[in-house]
């Protein structure tokens, strides 16, 4: 049987929120089978649990935000990407502020934390959402067109195309494909950092965003070039970060997907629209398990690979 996964031990991290600039502590704890991923705001007078789901997303401006009532957690996508990339199913995440720490701007620090805690198999079948027919969402026309789509696939692969008219981005690959069964998330995707432009910083900070951003946790560009002294981690780091974000955005559905995801200029909002469109078409998906691990798609049945 292909089994669910959680952590072996507790692990912790401290950092600042990318947008809030607030200091925040994370405590990642093992959770029983069939719990899913549950964020817990432990800084509130009464701690509030926020289980992840496609319908828990309350805001997608610049990041993915989950919430229950008045309790929210911003910028969950990088941590969710690491959790999905390592194949974890169940986890409690205690957090002392309203935003997940940005750390180095990628998911690699979260991967390190999770791997250092160890991954434990649980005596319950791993449940997948298998896409049975194409589902697509689209917005705009011509230069404003953007779209995201699911197609049936025995595994999980993503293709993302970006479209930035900027010299530093134009000189890199603007289209990236990643297949969980053929590629290595930790090596190929996890180190890709978020990115931004100096021309946008003043506007963002006026609106209370990017208060914790800087060269140590983002790729920053002026009108012509990358300003980080160490350059890029991947030749196509911009597009790979969009893949990283998409993996995290899609995992808020609560179970690993068996699907081919493709997108053009999509973002957090459109990724969530795609999840909701899928869930609302009940003939387009089904829940499956694999009683025989050898029948599971490549990449899910194998042990989690390190660096």
């Amino acid at each position: 049987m292909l089994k669910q996964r959680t952590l072996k031990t507790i692990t912790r991290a401290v950092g600042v929120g990318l947008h809030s600039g607030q200091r925040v502590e994370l405590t990642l704890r093992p959770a029983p089978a069939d719990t899913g991923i549950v964020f817990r705001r432990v800084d509130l007078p009464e701690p509030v649990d926020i289980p992840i789901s496609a319908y828990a997303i309350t805001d997608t401006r610049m990041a993915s935000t989950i919430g229950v009532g008045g309790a929210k957690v911003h910028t969950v996508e990088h941590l969710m990407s690491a959790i999905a990339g390592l194949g974890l199913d169940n986890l409690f995440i205690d957090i002392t502020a309203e935003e997940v720490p940005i750390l180095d701007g990628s998911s690699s620090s979260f991967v390190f934390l999770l791997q250092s805690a160890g991954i434990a198999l649980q005596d319950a079948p791993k449940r997948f959402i298998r896409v049975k027919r194409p589902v697509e969402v689209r917005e705009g026309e011509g230069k404003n067109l953007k779209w995201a789509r699911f197609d049936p696939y025995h595994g999980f692969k993503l293709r993302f195309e970006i479209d930035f008219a900027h010299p530093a981005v134009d000189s890199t690959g603007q289209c990236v494909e990643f297949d969980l069964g053929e590629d290595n998330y930790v090596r190929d995707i996890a180190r890709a950092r978020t990115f931004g432009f100096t021309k946008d910083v003043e506007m963002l900070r006026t609106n209370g965003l990017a208060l914790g951003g800087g060269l140590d946790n983002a790729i920053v560009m002026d009108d012509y070039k990358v300003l980080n002294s160490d350059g890029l981690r991947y030749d196509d780091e911009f597009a790979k970060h969009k893949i990283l974000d998409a993996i995290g955005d899609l995992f808020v559905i609560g179970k690993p997907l068996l699907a081919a995801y493709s997108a053009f200029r999509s973002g957090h909002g459109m990724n969530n629209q795609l999840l909701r469109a899928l869930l609302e078409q009940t003939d387009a998906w089904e829940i499956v398990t694999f009683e025989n691990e050898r029948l599971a798609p490549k990449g899910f049945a194998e042990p989690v690979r390190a660096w």
Side-chain angles (χ1 to χ4, degrees):
M1 178 177 70
L2 187 58
K3 296 181 176 182
Q4 294 180 29
R5 293 172 175 171
T6 189
L7 294 181
K8 288 183 179 178
T9 59
I10 293 173
T11 186
R12 296 180 174 87
V14 178
V16 298
L18 172 63
H19 294 301
S20 66
Q22 290 181 316
R23 182 182 184 276
V24 55
E25 298 178 19
L26 276 185
T27 301
L28 311 176
R29 300 187 288 115
D34 297 320
T35 299
I37 311 300
V38 180
F39 284 79
R40 176 173 290 166
R41 284 287 303 276
V42 297
D43 58 312
L44 300 176
E46 291 290 334
V48 176
D49 286 353
I50 311 174
I52 60 108
S53 79
Y55 296 100
I57 296 291
T58 60
D59 195 347
T60 54
R61 292 171 297 174
M62 305 301 295
S64 287
T65 297
I66 58 172
V68 169
K72 296 179 180 180
V73 178
H74 302 285
T75 320
V76 301
E77 61 271 12
H78 297 172
L79 175 53
M80 291 299 298
S81 185
I83 292 168
L86 295 181
L88 289 160
D89 301 281
N90 305 299
L91 200 61
F92 289 122
I93 303 170
D94 296 346
I95 186 167
T96 64
E98 64 179 12
E99 187 176 16
V100 174
I102 190 61
L103 302 182
D104 76 338
S106 73
S107 66
S108 61
S109 296
F110 295 120
V111 166
F112 176 79
L113 280 170
L114 294 166
Q115 288 186 326
S116 66
I119 294 173
L121 297 178
Q122 299 176 286
D123 194 21
K126 191 179 187 79
R127 293 181 172 85
F128 297 82
I129 294 177
R130 178 160 61 193
V131 172
K132 297 167 62 178
R133 63 170 178 80
V135 175
E136 182 175 290
V137 292
R138 301 174 74 88
E139 283 184 12
E141 296 179 357
K143 292 183 178 181
N144 296 318
L145 175 66
K146 56 182 179 178
W147 55 265
R149 175 184 174 96
F150 285 135
D151 286 288
Y153 182 65
H154 187 63
F156 184 52
K157 66 179 179 180
L158 306 95
R159 183 184 187 277
F160 202 110
E161 184 176 354
I162 59 177
D163 182 27
F164 286 93
H166 186 282
V169 183
D170 290 344
S171 65
T172 72
Q174 297 217 32
C175 183
V176 168
E177 296 186 17
F178 173 78
D179 190 320
L180 188 65
E182 303 296 332
D183 305 310
N184 185 320
Y185 173 84
V186 177
R187 180 192 66 211
D188 300 328
I189 300 296
R191 297 179 64 245
R193 294 161 294 176
T194 193
F195 56 92
F197 304 91
T198 54
K199 64 182 181 181
D200 297 330
V201 169
E202 184 176 348
M203 179 273 293
L204 289 170
R205 291 184 173 170
T206 299
N207 288 280
L209 299 171
L211 300 178
L215 291 169
D216 58 342
N217 56 30
I219 304 169
V220 181
M221 291 168 282
D222 62 15
D223 290 341
Y224 306 102
K225 64 184 182 299
V226 171
L227 300 181
N228 303 65
S229 59
D230 55 347
L232 299 179
R233 294 176 175 178
Y234 305 106
D235 291 341
D236 47 4
E237 188 169 359
F238 303 105
K240 281 190 170 178
H241 185 77
K242 289 294 189 177
I243 291 274
L244 184 155
D245 275 349
I247 291 171
D249 286 342
L250 298 179
F251 195 52
V252 301
I253 200 168
K255 296 177 178 62
L257 287 156
L258 298 181
Y261 162 91
S262 52
F264 175 68
R265 299 177 64 225
S266 184
H268 304 300
M270 180 152 280
N271 290 338
N272 191 247
Q273 289 176 37
L274 181 62
L275 291 183
R276 295 187 185 206
L278 174 68
L279 292 175
E280 289 162 9
Q281 300 175 50
T282 54
D283 64 331
W285 59 277
E286 61 183 349
I287 302 291
V288 298
T289 61
F290 294 95
E291 293 302 316
N292 185 337
E293 188 174 300
R294 288 177 294 179
L295 299 178
K298 188 179 178 184
F300 287 107
E302 298 174 352
V304 176
R305 291 172 285 177
W307 296 92

